[in-house]
Amino acid sequence: MQSCLFHSPWSQFLTEANKKRINSISAVEVNDDGSCSIENCLDQPTGSEWCKLTAICKKLTGAEYVKEACPTCADVRCPEGMDCNIVHDLPVCLPRIPGGCEVDKCGQGDCEEEGSDYKCLCNNGYRFSGVTCTDINECVEEAPCGNGQCINTIGSHNCDCNEGYEFLHGTCEDINECLNNPCDDTERCSNIEGSYICDCLDTLVRDHDSGDCMCADGFETQDWNLCGY
């Protein structure tokens, strides 16, 4: 049962109604709204006379009384490496359980604590194994190189690309050899996968003996290695 402690040097001047409210231990029942207040406490008070309710007290019995009387963890100083915990309503020093990220187990990633547990937010090229961040073998799982041999590296991979390809954007991409103008002036370059072809320009044919582009029958060489009538 809760009650409000009453205090006033001028209790003899209490109104009759308030005299009835105050019991033998100078306490007043809590108001319906849970507050401790008393209206119009004194009968014709002067400016220096007052009364007030100074506290809320609760009468405890049985197990509730025992629990309230027990010390709390605020009263206990545990040895190093131990934390205070309430066990069966009593403070007990127990070995401290470290936070999940107190010791960094992730390595190649950031540790995210979940109480005494944790998970790893791993860097690119790694995944959380349940214990730490381990390297992903892209060569086994993804076969990323295509036209080349995949070589796994820690956290990534390389490609030993076939001729006509280069390692770009994580895979073997075709080299456009025509950008380097590998053909003669009488030839037209055509890029193909892994290579290129030099074809003779219009009105030119390839000579079987020399391999050069020559004017076809009925045409003769003019300026800029072109053929005309």
Side-chain angles (χ1 to χ4, degrees), residues 112-167:
E112 186 174 90
E113 193 162 280
E114 298 177 343
S116 60
D117 204 354
Y118 69 98
K119 66 179 180 181
C120 297
L121 306 177
C122 299
N123 300 335
N124 289 337
Y126 297 83
R127 74 158 56 93
F128 183 41
S129 67
V131 177
T132 187
C133 291
T134 57
D135 172 58
I136 298 172
N137 189 338
E138 295 87 354
C139 296
V140 173
E141 299 191 12
E142 302 172 11
C145 292
N147 290 284
Q149 181 69 37
C150 184
I151 303 169
N152 187 58
T153 61
I154 299 300
S156 186
H157 71 282
N158 284 320
C159 295
D160 183 10
C161 297
N162 299 338
E163 185 176 356
Y165 295 85
E166 62 181 337
F167 184 50

Side-chain angles (χ1 to χ4, degrees), residues 202-205 213-216 218-229:
D202 295 341
T203 71
L204 297 175
V205 294
C213 290
M214 309 291 291
C215 289
F219 293 88
E220 60 183 20
T221 303
Q222 297 181 345
D223 292 340
W224 306 103
N225 291 323
L226 296 178
C227 299
Y229 291 105

Side-chain angles (χ1 to χ4, degrees), residues 147 161-167 172-177 191-196:
N147 290 284
C161 297
N162 299 338
E163 185 176 356
Y165 295 85
E166 62 181 337
F167 184 50
C172 290
E173 293 193 358
D174 174 56
I175 299 172
N176 187 348
E177 294 88 351
N191 186 62
I192 60 174
E193 278 291 320
S195 187
Y196 66 98

